[in-house]
Coordinates of all heavy atoms in Angstrom, one line a residue:
Chain N
M184 N -27.0 -21.1 47.3 CA -26.7 -21.7 46.1 C -27.7 -21.5 45.0 O -28.4 -22.3 44.6 CB -26.4 -23.2 46.1 CG -25.0 -23.6 46.2 SD -24.9 -25.3 46.8 CE -25.1 -25.2 48.6
I187 N -28.0 -20.1 39.2 CA -28.6 -21.0 38.2 C -28.1 -20.7 36.8 O -28.5 -21.1 35.8 CB -30.2 -20.9 38.2 CG1 -30.6 -20.9 39.6 CG2 -30.9 -21.9 37.4 CD1 -31.5 -22.1 40.1
V189 N -26.4 -20.9 33.7 CA -25.8 -22.0 33.2 C -25.4 -21.7 31.7 O -26.1 -21.2 30.9 CB -26.7 -23.2 33.2 CG1 -26.0 -24.5 32.6 CG2 -27.1 -23.5 34.6
R198 N -24.1 -28.9 41.6 CA -23.7 -27.7 42.4 C -23.8 -28.1 43.8 O -24.8 -28.3 44.3 CB -24.6 -26.5 42.2 CG -24.6 -26.0 40.9 CD -23.3 -25.2 40.5 NE -23.0 -25.2 39.1 CZ -23.6 -24.5 38.2 NH1 -24.6 -23.6 38.6 NH2 -23.3 -24.5 36.9
G210 N -28.3 -34.2 60.4 CA -27.4 -34.1 61.6 C -25.9 -34.4 61.1 O -25.1 -33.6 61.4
L214 N -22.3 -32.0 60.7 CA -20.9 -32.3 61.2 C -20.0 -32.2 59.9 O -18.8 -31.6 60.1 CB -20.9 -33.8 61.7 CG -21.5 -34.0 63.1 CD1 -21.3 -35.5 63.4 CD2 -20.7 -33.2 64.1
L260 N -22.6 -40.8 42.7 CA -22.6 -39.6 41.9 C -23.4 -39.8 40.6 O -24.4 -39.0 40.3 CB -21.2 -39.2 41.4 CG -21.0 -37.9 40.7 CD1 -19.8 -37.1 41.2 CD2 -20.9 -38.1 39.2
R262 N -25.7 -41.7 39.9 CA -27.2 -41.9 40.2 C -27.9 -40.7 40.5 O -29.2 -40.7 40.4 CB -27.4 -43.0 41.4 CG -27.2 -44.4 41.0 CD -27.5 -45.2 42.2 NE -27.6 -46.6 41.9 CZ -26.5 -47.4 41.7 NH1 -25.3 -46.9 41.9 NH2 -26.7 -48.7 41.5
I275 N -28.8 -30.1 41.0 CA -28.4 -30.8 39.7 C -29.2 -30.3 38.5 O -30.4 -30.3 38.5 CB -28.6 -32.4 39.8 CG1 -27.9 -32.8 41.0 CG2 -28.2 -33.0 38.6 CD1 -28.4 -34.0 41.7
V277 N -29.7 -30.4 34.4 CA -29.5 -31.2 33.1 C -30.1 -30.4 32.0 O -31.3 -30.1 31.9 CB -30.0 -32.5 33.3 CG1 -29.9 -33.2 31.8 CG2 -29.3 -33.3 34.2
K284 N -36.3 -30.5 41.0 CA -37.6 -29.9 41.1 C -38.7 -30.6 40.2 O -39.9 -30.2 40.2 CB -37.5 -28.4 40.7 CG -36.7 -27.6 41.7 CD -37.2 -26.1 41.8 CE -36.4 -25.4 42.9 NZ -35.1 -24.8 42.3
F302 N -25.6 -50.1 33.9 CA -25.4 -50.3 35.2 C -24.1 -51.2 35.5 O -23.9 -52.2 34.8 CB -26.6 -51.0 35.9 CG -27.8 -50.1 36.0 CD1 -28.6 -49.8 35.0 CD2 -27.9 -49.3 37.2 CE1 -29.6 -49.0 35.1 CE2 -29.0 -48.4 37.3 CZ -29.8 -48.2 36.3
K304 N -24.0 -53.3 37.9 CA -24.5 -54.7 38.2 C -25.4 -55.1 37.0 O -26.3 -56.0 37.3 CB -25.3 -54.7 39.5 CG -24.3 -54.6 40.7 CD -25.1 -54.7 41.9 CE -24.2 -54.1 43.1 NZ -25.1 -53.7 44.1
L321 N -37.2 -48.6 25.0 CA -38.1 -48.1 24.0 C -39.4 -48.6 24.2 O -40.4 -47.8 23.9 CB -37.6 -48.7 22.7 CG -36.1 -48.3 22.2 CD1 -35.7 -49.0 21.0 CD2 -36.2 -46.7 22.0
G325 N -42.8 -46.3 24.7 CA -44.0 -46.4 24.0 C -43.7 -46.5 22.5 O -44.7 -46.3 21.7
G357 N -20.6 -62.9 32.0 CA -20.7 -61.5 32.6 C -20.5 -60.4 31.5 O -21.2 -59.5 31.5
A368 N -29.0 -49.4 26.7 CA -28.8 -47.9 26.8 C -28.6 -47.2 25.5 O -29.2 -46.2 25.3 CB -27.7 -47.6 27.8
S370 N -29.5 -48.1 22.6 CA -30.7 -48.0 21.7 C -31.7 -47.0 22.1 O -32.6 -46.7 21.3 CB -31.3 -49.4 21.8 OG -31.9 -49.6 23.0
I398 N -15.7 -44.0 21.6 CA -15.1 -42.7 21.1 C -15.7 -42.4 19.7 O -16.2 -41.2 19.5 CB -13.6 -42.8 21.1 CG1 -13.1 -43.0 22.5 CG2 -13.0 -41.6 20.4 CD1 -11.6 -43.5 22.5
D414 N -10.4 -47.5 36.5 CA -9.2 -47.8 35.6 C -8.7 -46.5 35.0 O -9.3 -45.9 34.1 CB -9.5 -48.7 34.6 CG -8.4 -49.1 33.7 OD1 -7.4 -48.5 33.8 OD2 -8.5 -50.0 32.9
L433 N -14.5 -34.4 45.5 CA -13.9 -34.1 44.3 C -12.4 -33.7 44.5 O -12.1 -32.8 45.3 CB -14.6 -33.0 43.5 CG -14.2 -32.8 42.0 CD1 -14.4 -34.0 41.3 CD2 -14.9 -31.6 41.4
E436 N -10.3 -31.9 38.8 CA -11.1 -32.1 37.5 C -10.3 -31.4 36.4 O -9.8 -30.3 36.7 CB -12.5 -31.4 37.7 CG -13.5 -31.8 36.7 CD -13.5 -30.7 35.5 OE1 -12.9 -29.6 35.7 OE2 -13.9 -31.0 34.5
D441 N -3.8 -32.5 32.3 CA -3.7 -31.7 33.5 C -3.5 -32.6 34.7 O -2.6 -32.4 35.5 CB -5.0 -30.9 33.7 CG -5.2 -29.9 32.7 OD1 -4.2 -29.6 32.0 OD2 -6.3 -29.4 32.6
N448 N -2.8 -33.7 44.2 CA -2.4 -34.1 45.5 C -1.8 -35.4 45.4 O -1.7 -36.1 44.4 CB -3.6 -34.0 46.6 CG -4.7 -34.9 46.1 OD1 -4.5 -35.9 45.4 ND2 -6.0 -34.4 46.3
V482 N 3.2 -35.1 13.0 CA 2.2 -35.9 13.4 C 1.0 -35.0 13.7 O 1.1 -33.7 13.7 CB 2.5 -36.5 14.8 CG1 3.6 -37.6 14.6 CG2 2.9 -35.5 15.7
D490 N 2.9 -42.1 20.3 CA 3.0 -42.1 18.9 C 4.3 -41.4 18.3 O 4.8 -41.9 17.3 CB 1.8 -41.4 18.3 CG 0.5 -42.0 18.9 OD1 0.4 -43.2 19.0 OD2 -0.4 -41.2 19.1
F495 N 11.6 -40.4 16.9 CA 12.8 -39.8 17.4 C 14.0 -40.6 17.1 O 15.2 -40.2 17.1 CB 12.8 -39.4 19.0 CG 11.8 -38.4 19.2 CD1 10.8 -38.5 20.2 CD2 11.8 -37.1 18.4 CE1 10.0 -37.5 20.5 CE2 10.9 -36.2 18.7 CZ 10.0 -36.3 19.7
W500 N 13.5 -33.6 15.7 CA 12.2 -33.1 16.2 C 11.2 -33.5 15.2 O 11.4 -33.8 14.0 CB 12.4 -31.6 16.5 CG 12.8 -30.8 15.2 CD1 14.1 -30.6 14.9 CD2 11.9 -30.2 14.2 NE1 14.1 -29.9 13.6 CE2 12.9 -29.6 13.3 CE3 10.6 -30.2 14.1 CZ2 12.3 -28.9 12.2 CZ3 10.1 -29.5 13.0 CH2 11.0 -28.9 12.1

Side-chain angles (χ1 to χ4, degrees):
Chain N
M184 260 164 280
I187 316 247
V189 180
R198 300 284 152 78
L214 284 183
L260 183 140
R262 281 183 169 83
I275 299 150
V277 173
K284 294 216 174 88
F302 288 85
K304 292 182 194 152
L321 297 174
S370 66
I398 295 169
D414 177 353
L433 190 63
E436 191 270 340
D441 291 344
N448 57 34
V482 293
D490 304 325
F495 292 127
W500 56 273

